[in-house]
Each structure stands twice: as structure tokens, then as C-alpha cells.
Amino acid sequence: MAKRDYSMLGPDARRAVETGLAAAEWYHTDVPRKEMKALMQRSDGPAIRDTIILFGAMILFAGVGIALWPSWWSAPFWLAYGVLFGSAMDSRWHECGHGTAFKTRHYNDWMYQIASFCMIRNPVTWRWSHTRHHTDTIIVGRDPEIVFMRPPELARIFANFFGIFDTINGVRRMLLNAAGKIHPEEATWIPETEQPKVIRVARIWLAVYLAVIGLALWMGSILPLMVIGLPRLYGAWHHVLTGLMQHGGLAENVIDHRLNSRTVYLNPISRFIYWNMNYHVEHHMFPMVPYHRLPDLHAAIKHDLPAPNRSFLDAYREMWPAIKRQLLNEDYFLKRELPPTAKPYREDFHVEALGQPAE
Amino acid sequence: MAQWIDACSTDDIEEEDLIRFDHAGRTFAIYHSPDGDFFCTDGLCTHEHVHLEDGLVMEYEIECPKHNATFDYRTGEAMRAPACVNLNTYKTKVEGGRVWIEV
Ligand code: FES
């Protein structure tokens, strides 16, 4: 098989369009309309509760961190604050980007702007990139959010546990956009009418960062950056830990989320931070279902999905050997068994797209 | 020339819901609003042409099931990205318990 080209402008991108993989009709488990309507219903309550807890905890941890600064006793509080800033904001960015977390649109929009800032993801650019991730999930050359490219770039992925490359990219793009330019790849998925908004947001953010850096210089301390900016690095690990499980080691170029996404049962703290995105097959199949109903959706359709992984450890035990094999064999992927109650995978289509799966 | 088509019974659509209606090679979405009125738009989202039939009606908006774009189904106005283009709308009338659309 030819080497993969993950760029949005390369031969794989063209091939995906030619073969009908791009913008294809995806598999969905049958759910009666009445049941699905109930699952899709929006409410403000759960997200308001979670947001109060989130911001309350952030203020508390940062406050104690500042009070104890520069003693090492402040470290655990910064670590806790960092995870909320650099990881919980990832899932808030995600859910509010879909517009499903709150019922009230403005609440979603406000939270989306705050979370985008924390994650250094331009809210306009990334809204469109995530749209593409849902249209063409893990389709090579079409999905701009593929983390585990083949062969996997492990050094880069490990560095991202500390947000290194994500932050460098985020800052670079912010500077490019603030200079009035759009990256050519981004231009493939952001409509022209939206592009001025990308630039406006980048300029506002740059002003905020310059103010924080100015304050740090004036104080002669990195403390202001411990509150804004650096937590994107020292708090990123949890969102990377959860994010890698979403699609790692699974199939590319298929149109059935059961083949390319993973559901994992997690502890309640991680589920709070991750806003239930551990139900990832369910989220991709039915992105209209808000995060707080995903456990119910899971219960309704699990008969049609591969068995979920039981924990972080279980997921990584499954994923890691596959990732290692992909270092040597780019065509290798995990194809998980479906329960007897499930509708089978569409082998005809997928064998053509993938070659023979390696089991 | 526009003509009135008998699309469905008023009982076929729950309040705050929609159904799909296909006619002469075209596809439409017919909505039953919370105050009992009926409306009709093109069936396919203007973003990536996914059918709206599996979407969610909230008051006077329809949310697309694929990427959560929303439209005001009374006017067709695109309210939320990623949809940037409005939906076409069609006149409706109710006669004898039937919903008619003008297409
Ligand atoms: S197809 Fe409707 S929002 Fe994308």
C-alpha cells in the first residue's frame, strides 16, 4: 500500500473524494424516533451545575496556588488547576462547539469562546475542522483531527502530554492569523465568509497574551502565566490520555464508527473532566445527543457495538500493541468483534477501502 | 408552475417534530410547530445535504443531525454554523385534516 498522506491537499485527499469515502453515508444503529427524540432533548441544568463546579474549583485551586506561591506546596493546586484549564476545557470546547451542552445557545457560545481561548484553538477555525472530523471521521486526507497517523509519531504524541506541539501550533496559527493570514490548509475547510472572524479573534487573543506577558515582566514573576497560558502545557495530560483512546489503533477509511472509534468506561472524575466523551462511538453516531445523556444512549445501543473497554488500563492494553505494530506495518489495525446481537460490518465496502484487516 | 400537493395528515407529525416528504424526485421536511401550525422547507441541510428528518425540532428551529446547524423553519434562515445558506421554504395549508404544500 502506498504511503499515507494526511495533508488536506495531497493524493489521499483526492482519492477519498474520488472513491466516495468523503462525505459518505455512515452506519447508524436503529433507534426508534421517539426514543431518539427523548435522548436529544436539551436542558441547561446539568451543564450549569458542571460549569459552576468547574469554575468554582478553578478559582479555588488557583487562589490557593497563588497564596502559596512560590512554595512547592502550591504545586498540587497548580496541577489540579492545570487539568481543569488544559483538559476540562478541551471537552467544554468540544461539547459547546456542537451546541449540545446547554439548551440556551448563548451559554454554549460563551463557554465555547472561553474554552477555545484556554486551549489556544481559534474558535472559528476549529469549529470548521471539527465539522470535517464528523463528516469524514479518520478518513486519510480529509479529517484534520487524526492524532495517530501511521506510522505513529510517538515522540510528538508523548510531547503533547505536556501540550508542547499543540501549543506551538496554536501560538503559530494565532500569530499568522493576527497578521491577517489564513493557512492554506485551513482555507480548505473554512468558508471565505468566516475567515475575517478567524483574524479578529486571533488579534484579540494576542492582545490578551501580550497583557499577561507584560504583567509577568512587570511583576518579575511567571505567576500570571501560571494562571493563563502555561496550564495549557502542564494540564494537558488528561485530555491527551482520553483523546488518544478515541480512535487509536482502529481502522482508517471506513464509514462505520464502530470500526474507527472506541467507547471506554471511566471513573466519575475523568468523566467530569471529559464530559462523557468516553462514550465516543455513541457521540460520533449521534452527535445531537448531549453529553449528559450519552450513558443512556450507550445503554440503548450497546447491543449493536463492540464491547466497550472497561477502564483506561484496558483501553491502553488493547491499543498500545496495535500502535507498536503500526510502527512497522502501517496497514495494521484492530478490528473488534461485534456481539451476536449487532448488525455486521459492511465487509464488502471496508475490505475494498482497507485491504485485508490484520487481526 | 407552483401547485398544491397533499403531503400528509395533520396527525402524522407530533407537535415540535417533523417528517420527511418526497415528491416528484424532490425531498421536503414538514414541521408541526409547538402552537399547532405547519411549515415546509427543503429536506436537505444546506451545509452538506444531510436529510433533516432525523434532526431535532426545538420550538421554531430545526437542528441538523450531522453537525448541529440550526435553521428557523418558518423562514428558512440559517441560525447557526456550519450552515451559512438559508433553506428554501414552501407555503402550507391545512384542509380537512390534511397538510398541503405548495411546490
Ligand atoms: S449537514 Fe447539516 S450541519 Fe452539516
Side-chain angles (χ1 to χ4, degrees):
Chain A
M1 203 177 227
K3 257 206 145 353
R4 289 159 166 76
D5 182 338
Y6 288 88
S7 86
M8 304 294 107
L9 304 167
D12 283 74
R14 278 195 299 280
R15 199 171 311 128
V17 174
E18 283 160 16
T19 57
L21 268 175
E25 183 96 23
W26 285 67
Y27 176 79
H28 290 99
T29 302
D30 290 331
V31 181
R33 172 80 184 157
K34 228 182 175 53
E35 199 177 342
M36 184 45 66
K37 253 178 78 179
L39 287 166
M40 291 190 295
Q41 283 313 313
R42 306 295 153 76
S43 62
D44 282 330
I48 287 178
R49 176 202 62 209
D50 288 350
T51 303
I52 290 171
I53 296 171
L54 176 67
F55 285 131
M58 286 176 79
I59 291 168
L60 180 74
F61 292 137
V64 178
I66 291 168
L68 296 177
W69 183 261
S71 154
W72 279 104
W73 291 109
S74 67
F77 297 94
W78 289 120
L79 289 178
Y81 172 73
V83 168
L84 299 180
F85 187 112
S87 288
M89 286 299 175
D90 169 65
S91 62
R92 274 58 183 177
W93 162 81
H94 177 262
E95 288 304 288
C96 296
H98 279 283
T100 52
F102 297 91
K103 180 174 184 176
T104 307
R105 180 174 309 144
H106 296 314
Y107 297 170
N108 282 310
D109 292 344
W110 292 333
M111 192 68 206
Y112 182 68
Q113 292 296 330
I114 294 168
S116 298
F117 173 79
C118 294
M119 299 309 293
I120 324 183
R121 290 177 190 157
N122 190 296
V124 184
T125 308
W126 279 76
R127 188 188 293 285
W128 290 94
S129 90
H130 196 65
T131 297
R132 179 67 80 78
H133 174 60
H134 272 269
T135 302
D136 295 325
T137 310
I138 318 295
I139 303 289
V140 178
R142 294 286 299 176
D143 182 350
E145 296 186 4
I146 298 179
V147 179
F148 273 121
M149 299 179 182
R150 301 189 204 163
E153 291 183 67
L154 292 184
R156 189 184 183 83
I157 288 167
F158 287 132
N160 260 339
F161 274 91
F162 304 98
I164 310 266
F165 285 100
D166 283 351
T167 304
I168 291 171
N169 278 338
V171 171
R172 265 205 199 139
R173 289 287 159 98
M174 177 176 71
L175 295 174
L176 182 79
N177 296 155
K181 295 187 183 123
I182 303 285
H183 190 280
E185 280 210 343
E186 290 174 351
T188 67
W189 68 76
I190 311 171
E192 258 174 53
T193 49
E194 296 285 293
Q195 293 180 8
K197 292 186 199 160
V198 175
I199 291 164
R200 191 167 59 238
V201 172
R203 287 177 177 161
I204 294 169
W205 285 10
L206 185 59
V208 174
Y209 280 111
L210 288 176
V212 174
I213 291 168
L215 181 64
L217 289 173
W218 179 72
M219 289 171 65
S221 163
I222 63 160
L223 185 57
L225 288 159
M226 288 296 286
V227 181
I228 292 175
L230 290 178
R232 176 68 184 83
L233 299 169
Y234 68 77
W237 63 270
H238 189 278
H239 97 79
V240 177
L241 192 70
T242 48
L244 293 180
M245 301 186 308
Q246 293 175 352
H247 309 285
L250 303 177
E252 290 176 336
N253 294 342
V254 291
I255 53 168
D256 186 335
H257 294 110
R258 300 175 303 174
L259 277 165
N260 69 10
S261 306
R262 179 183 278 107
T263 287
V264 185
Y265 292 149
L266 292 184
N267 67 76
I269 294 175
S270 285
R271 278 179 45 201
F272 172 80
I273 295 170
Y274 195 25
W275 253 10
N276 280 345
M277 274 308 115
N278 49 309
Y279 296 103
H280 212 65
V281 183
E282 292 82 350
H283 166 67
H284 267 283
M285 235 188 233
F286 299 106
M288 313 245 322
V289 174
Y291 76 94
H292 51 87
R293 297 303 307 275
L294 285 178
D296 300 321
L297 174 61
H298 172 68
I301 68 172
K302 66 175 186 230
H303 64 277
D304 199 36
L305 311 184
N309 295 94
R310 315 298 304 177
S311 63
F312 274 121
L313 197 64
D314 184 40
Y316 273 81
R317 270 201 188 128
E318 175 189 78
M319 194 170 87
W320 182 238
I323 299 298
K324 278 200 300 194
R325 285 185 65 170
Q326 285 176 351
L327 288 171
L328 300 171
N329 175 4
E330 290 177 35
D331 294 339
Y332 181 78
F333 67 98
L334 286 165
K335 187 176 146 212
R336 288 162 316 151
E337 286 297 307
L338 287 169
T341 46
K343 281 207 184 133
Y345 297 127
R346 280 184 53 194
E347 294 293 349
D348 50 338
F349 187 89
H350 294 136
V351 165
E352 202 176 306
L354 291 158
Q356 286 298 325
E359 307 243 16
Chain B
M1 208 178 84
Q3 51 174 329
W4 285 98
I5 307 290
D6 180 352
C8 61
S9 156
T10 51
D11 296 337
D12 289 343
I13 322 175
E14 283 182 20
E15 275 193 8
E16 264 196 305
D17 204 1
L18 80 160
I19 60 164
R20 172 182 181 145
F21 175 65
D22 295 333
H23 174 74
R26 296 170 67 189
T27 187
F28 303 92
I30 304 178
Y31 308 83
H32 192 171
S33 75
D35 48 17
D37 293 328
F38 291 85
F39 296 89
C40 179
T41 69
D42 276 338
L44 301 182
C45 177
T46 58
H47 174 232
E48 286 182 359
H49 312 297
V50 167
H51 210 290
L52 295 166
E53 63 181 324
D54 293 325
L56 178 65
V57 176
M58 287 173 289
E59 297 188 354
Y60 299 102
E61 288 182 10
I62 169 71
E63 185 174 307
C64 173
K66 187 71 182 175
H67 308 108
N68 312 83
T70 54
F71 302 88
D72 184 328
Y73 57 77
R74 298 168 300 182
T75 60
E77 187 186 352
M79 307 290 289
R80 183 177 186 281
C84 303
V85 177
N86 296 345
L87 281 171
N88 289 320
T89 57
Y90 303 90
K91 281 190 193 147
T92 63
K93 64 181 181 184
V94 174
E95 275 177 13
R98 306 288 304 171
V99 181
W100 295 71
I101 62 172
E102 190 185 36
V103 297

